[in-house]
Each structure stands twice: as C-alpha cells, then as structure tokens.
Amino acid sequence: MDFLKPRYTPMNRRRRIYEGKAKVLYEGPEPGTLIQHFKDDATAFNAKKHEVIDGKGVLNNRISEFLFQHLNDIGVPTHFIRRLNMREQLIREVEIIPLEVVVRNVAAGSLATRLGLEEGTQLPRSIIEFYYKNDALNDPMVSEEHITAFGWATPQEIDDIMALAIRVNDFLSGLFLGVGIRLVDFKMETGRLWEGDLMRIVVADEISPDSCRLWDIKSADKLDKDRFRKDLGGLIEAYTEVAKRLGIMSENEKVQTGGPRLVQ
Ligand code: TMP
C-alpha cells in the first residue's frame, strides 16, 4: 500500500540532524542527502548579539542557491543539489571539515583590526586564512601546522581546500564586479564527499550576504551582515538589493516572508 503513504514527511516529524545559529539540517529524502533550512535568526560576536530578521532566511536560501548552482555549473564541486522551497534546499551529506576558510581581497573586519590596516585598502594579493570551527573557543585562527598536527585535514586536503577557495574567490569576485559590487572578503566551509571508495572535497554550508562582505562599488555602502553587526539597519533592503542585482528577484518584487517555519 505504498501509494497511500504521504509523499513527504511533515516538518514536525522530520529527523533534525543538526541545528546551528542560522540554519537547521534535517534528514533528506534519500540516503546521502540532507535538507538545509535557512532560519531568520541573525547572530554576531559568537551569538552574544541575536535578532530575528523577517525574510533573511528566504533571501539567503535564494542567494546561496544561485551562487552554488553557478559554482556547480563551472565545475567547482559543491554539496548543493537543488532548492526545495522558500527556505530549504536539498544537499549532499558531507563530513564537514571543522575549518572556516576566509578569503580576503580588501582589508576589513578582524584583519584590519589585527594588523592596523585602514578598512578598504586593497591587499597585495588575496589572502586565505583558517579558523577552527569551535564556538566554545570563539573560532580561533589557526595555521596549517595546527590543522595537520591535530588531524583536522591532511596536507593534501589543505592544498585542495586552498585551490577551491581561490576558484570560488575568482568566480565570485567577477560575478559581483559585473553587478557593481566589490567582494571584500567571504567565509566558506568545505566537506568530504564520499562516492564509493573515492573522496573529494566540496564547498559546503552557504555563501550569502551573511558570510561575505559586499560593498557597492560606487558608494561603498555595505550590502551584507555588517549592517546587523554594526547596527546600521536596512539589512533586508541590502540583501534584496544583492538579489535584484544578481537577477534573482525582479525590480519591484518584495521578499515574501513566512513560508515553512520552525516549530520551536
Ligand atoms: P572577519 O573580518 O570578522 O574575520 O570576517 C571575515 C569574513 O568571514 C567576513 O566576510 C564575514 C565572515 N564571517 C562569517 O561568515 N562567520 C563568522 O563567524 C565570522 C567571524 C566571519
């Protein structure tokens, strides 16, 4: 009597695999898949600052879908399969490497503070940094020495991660430049994707205005999560502007809030 079964599992009966600050992962419809759900929660400073911003999850789901689909299309492997609805996408289950990979083109944020650089200074070349993903430790910056000594990734994997990071940076820099946006820096995560005995490193998590610094080329207006971190306001308007410039949303469209919500 298989045909009598519902074709999808209602939200509240799905198995929750993991809940982070801005996303939830549920068991997917097939083995090896997961559902990535984008919440409206915004956090900063390791969640010391927290707010729910209506519509942020919907925008990040769309923007991240667009960027990951394009990366897939140019042969940069990612975990992304397809978007399912306003807040959710189907992804491949990967073994997350516990590193935040930050690529910087322009001095800003913690780099500007740490090295006393003026915000907005073009860097001599793109710089890749690694942070150990550990909230209890506040995601400390680590070097390749720490990564290999503690076994978070092998030297070969670090090479693969850096090659991926450079490809993603080149692609995103060009894409955003084409719509009048400067990609100052971004954070990406990677995971091990197993295909039989073969393993490859793929881009995972999300790439959205939550995890990038995006400045308007002409006005230098911030179109990213710094609007929340620095209490500038207008976060939804800024993310909507990014979506419109990328051609994801039409000129007069407004973000639809609501959609499937988490049962808290
Ligand atoms: P930072 O200048 O604060 O180190 O941030 C570098 C980039 O990484 C910036 O684009 C924001 C992003 N980022 C995250 O996505 N998650 C984080 O937890 C932090 C600290 C930064």
Side-chain angles (χ1 to χ4, degrees):
M1 302 286 259
D2 250 345
F3 64 94
L4 287 178
K5 287 188 184 156
R7 296 184 57 171
Y8 62 88
T9 315
M11 287 263 307
N12 54 2
R13 276 199 269 130
R14 277 193 201 151
R15 198 153 78 86
R16 193 182 298 223
I17 306 284
Y18 173 82
E19 177 150 7
K21 286 176 283 212
K23 295 188 294 297
V24 188
L25 294 178
Y26 294 98
E27 192 170 55
E30 287 154 39
T33 65
L34 296 175
I35 292 168
Q36 178 165 262
H37 178 111
F38 288 76
K39 300 190 282 184
D40 280 338
D41 297 61
T43 64
F45 316 116
N46 203 9
K48 284 200 238 347
K49 182 175 165 126
H50 175 237
E51 232 173 83
V52 175
I53 304 179
D54 215 20
K56 180 176 81 77
V58 174
L59 283 157
N60 280 349
N61 184 32
R62 293 294 298 274
I63 294 170
S64 198
E65 169 201 10
F66 180 87
L67 300 176
F68 274 78
Q69 186 57 57
H70 277 75
L71 288 170
N72 283 345
D73 291 346
I74 62 161
V76 174
T78 81
H79 72 165
F80 180 80
I81 302 173
R82 66 172 184 277
R83 180 162 60 86
L84 296 172
N85 56 52
M86 274 163 59
R87 289 183 181 275
E88 296 177 329
Q89 43 186 248
L90 185 66
I91 58 169
R92 287 188 201 290
E93 184 169 20
V94 301
E95 187 184 309
I96 289 286
I97 295 174
L99 298 172
E100 300 207 338
V101 184
V102 170
V103 185
R104 301 181 186 270
N105 302 305
V106 176
S110 69
L111 178 76
T113 306
R114 199 180 324 119
L115 300 185
L117 301 170
E118 192 184 340
E119 282 235 331
T121 315
Q122 187 78 32
L123 299 171
R125 62 173 173 80
S126 302
I127 295 174
I128 301 177
E129 297 171 343
F130 297 106
Y131 294 82
Y132 177 44
K133 250 175 88 73
N134 185 318
D135 281 342
L137 298 175
N138 227 343
D139 298 347
M141 184 153 89
V142 292
S143 72
E144 297 185 35
E145 278 287 287
H146 301 105
I147 297 168
T148 51
F150 294 113
W152 300 323
T154 65
Q156 175 62 53
E157 287 175 333
I158 295 177
D159 285 352
D160 292 351
I161 292 169
M162 290 178 80
L164 274 180
I166 290 166
R167 290 189 73 192
V168 173
N169 183 48
D170 285 349
F171 173 71
L172 292 182
S173 293
L175 182 81
F176 282 119
L177 185 62
V179 296
I181 293 174
R182 194 173 186 199
L183 178 65
V184 170
D185 54 35
F186 69 96
K187 184 263 299 187
M188 63 173 227
E189 296 188 24
T190 55
R192 298 183 185 95
L193 178 63
W194 294 91
E195 285 163 336
D197 284 345
L198 269 178
M199 185 277 289
R200 57 185 178 138
I201 308 271
V202 304
V203 183
D205 192 55
E206 73 181 293
I207 303 178
S208 71
D210 264 15
S211 57
C212 300
R213 280 200 178 89
L214 304 169
W215 295 356
D216 180 77
I217 296 218
K218 287 204 191 111
S219 65
D221 278 354
K222 297 182 198 304
L223 303 174
D224 57 61
K225 200 167 118 182
D226 270 349
R227 300 213 72 85
F228 168 72
R229 295 191 190 96
K230 295 174 181 281
D231 291 320
L232 300 173
L235 179 136
I236 290 297
E237 292 75 5
Y239 287 27
T240 301
E241 177 66 19
V242 173
K244 287 189 175 164
R245 291 208 200 169
L246 292 173
I248 301 169
M249 280 171 73
S250 62
E251 219 21 72
N252 300 317
E253 204 177 333
K254 273 188 80 174
V255 65
Q256 302 230 341
T257 54
R261 295 222 158 246
L262 281 180
V263 183
Q264 295 285 357

